[in-house]
Amino acid sequence: MGFPFKPHPRETLVLSKHFGEAEARSLDGWKARGGYRALEQALGMDPVAIQNVVKESGLRGRGGAGFPTGLKWSFMKLGDGKPHYLCCNADESEPGTFKDREIMRWTPHALIEGCAIAAHAIGAETAYIYIRGEFTEPLERMERACAEARQAGVIGRNAMGTGKRVDVWVHKGAGAYICGEETALMNSLEGKRGNPRIKPPFPAASGLFGMPTTINNVETLAAVPHILVNGGAWYKAMARPDNPKSTGTKLWSVCGNVSKPGNYEVQMGFPFKEFLYDLCGGPPRGRNFKAVIPGGSSVNIITIEEAERAVMDYEGMADVGTALGSAGCIVIDDAQSIPRQVARLARFYAHESCAQCTQCREGTAWTTRILERIVAGDGTAEDLDTLLDLAENMTGKTICVLSDSCAAPVVSGLQKFRHEFEALITRKTVHAVPTIVS
Amino acid sequence: MSHGPSATGGAAISTAAPGHAHEPYVPVFTGETKARLAALMERYPTKMASLLPALWMVQEARGWVSPEAMAEVAQELGLTAAYVKGVVTFYTMYHQHPVGKHFIQVCTTTPCHVCGAEDVVKAFLEKTGCGELGVTSPDGKYTVIEVECLGACGFATPVMVNSDFIESVTPEKVPELLKRYQ
Ligand SMILES: Cc1cc2nc3c(=O)[nH]c(=O)nc-3n(C[C@H](O)[C@H](O)[C@H](O)COP(=O)(O)O)c2cc1C
Ligand code: FES
C-alpha cells in the first residue's frame, strides 16, 4: 500500500498487506494471518521441488539486478558435504529505496519465513540477515522476531519439529553503501573491510566463509512464502499478458517531489503514468514533474515524457532506456536543477566508493569536482566532454558496478538535460546555486 | 566509506577529545559483556566474523572506539590491532573520536536534497550552536553531520539522533526536537 497512506484500490497487496498492523509483528499475530504454513510445507518438500516452484513463478531478484531466483538457487550443489549459507541482503542503501525497511518493520516473520524456506531449498542450515546499521528499528524488530521464532522452535536445531536445522541470525552493518554489493556484504559479514571481490568465483561456488552461498534481497525472500502457498502459476499470472518475463507484485518506493511519497505495491506491467498521477497523487501543488529516476539512483534518468509512456516491469523500463533496478522511484519537479541533483548524486558515489579500483576512486571524485564547479557557475565549455570521457572510463572497467552507477546519471542527465548544464556554463541562468558542503 | 579521495571527502569529525587523554583504560569485555560476546561467537564459524558486532558493543559501552578498545577487541578475537583499525576506518558509523552527547545525522542525498534537506542541516547547525559540520558544540552536547541516504527517502528529511530514527523533519521542527535531547 501507499504506506503511510491508505492502500489505493489499484494496488495489489501481497507483501504489504499487513503494513501498519502492529499485531502482525508477533509470532502469534503472524500465524493468525497464515504465517509459517509455507515453511511447514517447505520443510516436508525436496529442495529441488521448492526450487522448481520458484522457477515456475518467474520470481526475479528485487535487489537490483533482476536475476531469476529459482535459477540462482539451482546453482547450489546439493549434497557436496560442505556447509552452505544463505545471506539476506538488508543493506538497503540505494538512494530512493526504502521498501525492505517497511517489510522488516511490519512483517519481520515474513522475512524469517522466506529465509528459512530459501535456506532449506539451497541445502543451508544457516541464514544471516545483514541489516544496515542505521536501521535501528528494523534491526530491533528482526532481532525480536528471530528470538521469538527460535524460542517457539519454528527455527533452530529442530525447525517445526521436522528434525531439520535452520538458524536465522541478524547481523548489523556499520555504515557503507558498498556493503549492499553481494561480495562486499560477505566480506563485511566475515569481519573484513567491505571491498567487493573479483568474480569468478561466484558465491554459489565460493561465497561466505569460502563456502557455497546464495544471496537474496529482503523483498525477494519475503515473496517466497506466498509463492509456495499459492503456487507458481498464481504468481506468474500477475504480469502483462504479452510479457511473461516480469511476474508478481512489486513494491515501489516513491520519493522526491511528489504529493504522496511512500511504498506502493502493484502488479508487474502497471502503467507508470497512472501510477505517478493517480496512486502517488501527482506533483506538489503548482509544480510539474520534470524527470524521474525510476529504479534507485544507479539507473538512467528519464524525462517525464518518457516516464509517462513506460510500463512498470523489467522490460518496460528497459524500453525507455532505464532500468527497474531496486524500484526506488525518485521524482524531480520543474523547480529543481538537474545539474545540481546530478552533482549531489555524484558526491554520494564519491563518498561511498570503496576505493579499490582507480577508475572508481578517482572517477567518482573528479566527476563530483567538475559537476560542483559547473553548478557553482565556474564550469568551462570543455567540462561536459571531460565528464563524458570520465564516464566512459568508469563503465564496465571495475570490480563492481558502483562506478558504472555514478556514470549513469551523469551520461543520461547530460543526454536529456544538456541545455541546463550549458546554461550554467554560459551563465545564462541567474541562480548560481551554491555547492553543498559535506 | 570515508577514504577521503583527492577531490571530495566526508565530514571530518572534530578530533578534540575532551579529557580522555590519560585515564587508565578499563576493559569493555568483562562479566556480562564478555559472556554476550562469547554467545555471539557461537553464531559464526570464524572468530573474525564477530568483529563488527564486537565493535558495536564497544561503541555502545563507551560512545566511541578508542585505539585501546581496538587493541582489546583484537585480543579477544585473535586479530592484530592494526587489522582491527583497518576495519574500523572502513565503516562510517564507528566513531574514532569522542563525539557530542547527542550525535545528529541529517540525510542530504538527492531524494532528501530535492525536498529541502539543506535547510534542515542549517537549522541544526544554528540551533545546536555547532555552527559547522562535524564540530562538537561548545557545551559538548551536540555534533551534527550530513549522512548519505538513510533508506527512508519517502519521509524526507530523516534524521538520526544517537540511535533514534526520526522521520519528516523540517527546519521548523528542529527547536522542538532538540528539547528532547538535552
Ligand atoms: C554498489 C551496489 C550496491 C548494492 N546494494 C544493494 C542493496 O542495498 N540491497 C540489495 O538487495 N542489493 C544490493 N545490490 C545488489 C546485490 O549485489 C545483489 O545483486 C542482490 O542482493 C541479489 O539479490 P536478489 O537476486 O534477490 O536481487 C547492490 C549492488 C551493488 C553493485
Ligand atoms: S535520500 Fe534521504 S533517506 Fe534516502
Side-chain angles (χ1 to χ4, degrees):
Chain A
M1 66 166 162
F3 188 79
F5 299 99
K6 285 214 175 337
H8 190 280
R10 289 276 281 148
E11 283 185 78
T12 305
L13 308 187
V14 176
L15 302 170
S16 61
K17 191 171 172 193
H18 303 297
F19 285 6
E21 285 173 36
E23 311 85 64
R25 288 168 166 161
S26 70
L27 181 61
D28 287 343
W30 189 242
K31 283 189 166 166
R33 287 162 181 78
Y36 290 114
R37 273 194 297 143
L39 178 59
E40 197 169 9
Q41 184 186 330
L43 290 173
M45 284 169 78
D46 180 59
V48 177
I50 303 174
Q51 293 175 9
N52 287 339
V53 176
V54 175
K55 273 186 189 166
E56 191 207 345
S57 75
L59 175 66
R60 291 168 66 177
R62 305 302 196 218
F67 194 85
T69 307
L71 183 63
K72 187 188 264 191
W73 293 3
S74 70
F75 295 154
M76 299 288 281
K77 211 165 148 205
L78 298 169
D80 59 0
K82 295 180 185 170
H84 290 189
Y85 292 103
L86 177 78
C87 289
C88 169
N89 193 338
D91 195 55
E92 190 159 70
S93 316
E94 173 85 357
T97 320
F98 49 99
K99 61 190 176 65
D100 299 343
R101 173 176 184 258
E102 297 310 310
I103 292 176
M104 292 189 284
R105 284 179 69 205
W106 295 108
T107 57
H109 285 287
L111 181 56
I112 296 171
E113 187 171 8
C115 286
I117 296 170
H120 177 54
I122 60 164
E125 293 187 335
T126 311
Y128 297 105
I129 304 176
Y130 184 101
I131 307 182
R132 63 177 298 182
E134 294 88 346
F135 275 180
T136 44
E137 190 201 332
L139 264 156
E140 211 181 290
R141 303 247 175 243
M142 287 309 308
E143 295 263 20
R144 205 178 305 165
C146 278
E148 211 186 358
R150 196 169 301 117
Q151 219 157 31
V154 171
I155 53 171
R157 276 170 207 286
N158 179 16
M160 302 194 101
T162 58
K164 299 203 167 83
R165 180 177 187 145
V166 187
D167 280 325
V168 181
W169 303 108
V170 169
H171 193 93
K172 182 180 181 181
Y177 165 70
I178 193 59
C179 290
E181 195 280 337
E182 54 189 29
T183 57
L185 184 148
M186 290 171 200
N187 273 341
S188 180
L189 225 160
E190 289 178 15
K192 300 173 180 160
R193 290 166 70 90
N195 291 332
R197 301 172 181 171
I198 294 172
K199 291 184 267 190
F202 290 96
S206 174
L208 188 64
F209 305 116
M211 294 300 156
T213 304
T214 294
I215 179 161
N216 279 123
N217 169 261
V218 169
E219 187 186 352
T220 314
L221 291 168
V224 168
H226 297 283
I227 292 171
L228 274 204
V229 167
N230 299 306
W234 161 81
Y235 198 74
K236 203 170 146 181
M238 294 188 276
R240 274 194 273 167
D242 57 342
N243 181 23
K245 288 187 188 156
S246 296
T247 61
T249 61
K250 180 77 198 81
L251 274 172
W252 290 78
S253 307
V254 183
C255 63
N257 307 125
V258 59
S259 296
K260 289 160 80 177
N263 281 296
Y264 296 84
E265 186 172 12
V266 292
Q267 292 191 9
M268 286 291 186
F270 202 86
F272 206 13
K273 186 173 179 179
E274 180 184 350
F275 182 80
L276 288 170
Y277 290 94
D278 288 358
L279 276 65
C280 308
R285 191 188 292 270
R287 309 237 194 107
N288 294 302
F289 288 146
K290 177 157 84 176
V292 181
I293 309 179
S297 63
S298 301
V299 308
N300 286 338
I301 302 178
I302 54 174
T303 63
I304 185 61
E305 293 77 21
E306 288 169 317
E308 284 179 4
R309 58 185 157 84
V311 169
M312 300 166 80
D313 59 22
Y314 295 98
E315 290 69 31
M317 287 297 158
D319 285 344
V320 291
T322 184
L324 185 143
S326 62
C329 180
I330 309 168
V331 190
I332 300 172
D333 74 15
D334 54 2
Q336 309 299 328
S337 146
I338 296 290
R340 192 175 184 214
Q341 296 315 327
V342 172
R344 185 62 188 87
L345 273 184
R347 174 168 281 272
F348 168 81
Y349 289 106
H351 184 259
E352 300 299 334
S353 168
C354 86
Q356 272 191 113
C357 308
T358 311
Q359 292 92 332
C360 179
R361 182 184 62 244
E362 297 300 320
T364 53
W366 281 102
T367 299
T368 306
R369 179 182 262 192
I370 295 171
L371 282 166
E372 289 184 351
R373 172 164 88 205
I374 294 173
V375 169
D378 296 328
T380 64
E382 300 81 60
D383 277 349
L384 301 186
D385 286 339
T386 311
L387 281 173
L388 291 174
D389 197 36
L390 272 170
E392 165 78 29
N393 271 312
M394 288 163 69
T395 307
K397 296 189 174 62
T398 44
I399 294 175
C400 87
V401 295
L402 186 142
S403 168
D404 309 53
S405 304
C406 179
V410 177
V411 175
S412 55
L414 266 170
Q415 246 166 22
K416 286 157 195 176
F417 298 95
R418 197 178 174 100
H419 56 280
E420 289 195 27
F421 291 83
E422 286 172 346
L424 282 172
I425 289 172
T426 53
R427 284 186 165 278
K428 269 188 229 130
T429 26
V430 269
H431 61 282
V433 225
T435 51
I436 321 114
V437 270
S438 81
Chain B
M1 68 168 286
S2 48
H3 54 85
S6 43
T8 67
I13 306 292
S14 155
T15 50
H20 284 268
H22 299 296
E23 287 161 27
Y25 180 71
V26 183
V28 174
F29 296 100
T30 55
E32 191 261 338
T33 316
K34 179 134 183 148
R36 254 174 68 210
L37 180 62
L40 210 98
M41 283 160 74
E42 301 276 304
R43 300 181 183 181
Y44 310 99
T46 67
K47 274 186 168 183
M48 191 193 272
S50 297
L51 179 51
L52 265 58
L55 292 168
W56 275 120
M57 289 166 81
V58 167
Q59 186 150 305
E60 267 163 41
R62 298 289 150 83
W64 66 299
V65 185
S66 66
E68 292 89 343
M70 290 184 211
E72 189 195 356
V73 169
Q75 186 152 32
E76 290 293 328
L77 302 181
L79 306 165
T80 65
Y83 177 84
V84 172
K85 181 163 188 180
V87 172
V88 169
T89 53
F90 186 88
Y91 298 95
T92 52
M93 291 184 80
Y94 296 126
H95 303 312
Q96 295 166 60
H97 304 283
V99 293
K101 184 175 163 204
H102 302 299
F103 188 69
I104 301 171
Q105 307 183 64
V106 186
C107 173
T108 59
T109 309
T110 307
C112 288
H113 194 236
V114 298
C115 296
E118 261 181 293
D119 295 332
V120 179
V121 172
K122 273 188 210 138
F124 272 110
L125 288 178
E126 195 182 306
K127 303 289 178 216
T128 55
C130 290
E132 239 179 283
L133 288 168
V135 172
T136 299
S137 57
D139 57 8
K141 265 201 223 162
Y142 305 106
T143 309
V144 182
I145 67 158
E146 287 187 347
V147 69
E148 297 294 352
C149 182
L150 283 174
C153 330
F155 316 107
T157 295
V159 173
M160 281 194 85
V161 184
N162 308 325
S163 60
D164 297 345
F165 201 102
I166 305 144
E167 297 172 353
S168 309
V169 178
T170 57
E172 300 73 46
K173 289 186 193 165
V174 168
E176 201 55 38
L177 201 156
L178 285 174
K179 280 192 196 148
R180 287 175 13 215
Y181 299 95
Q182 283 304 314

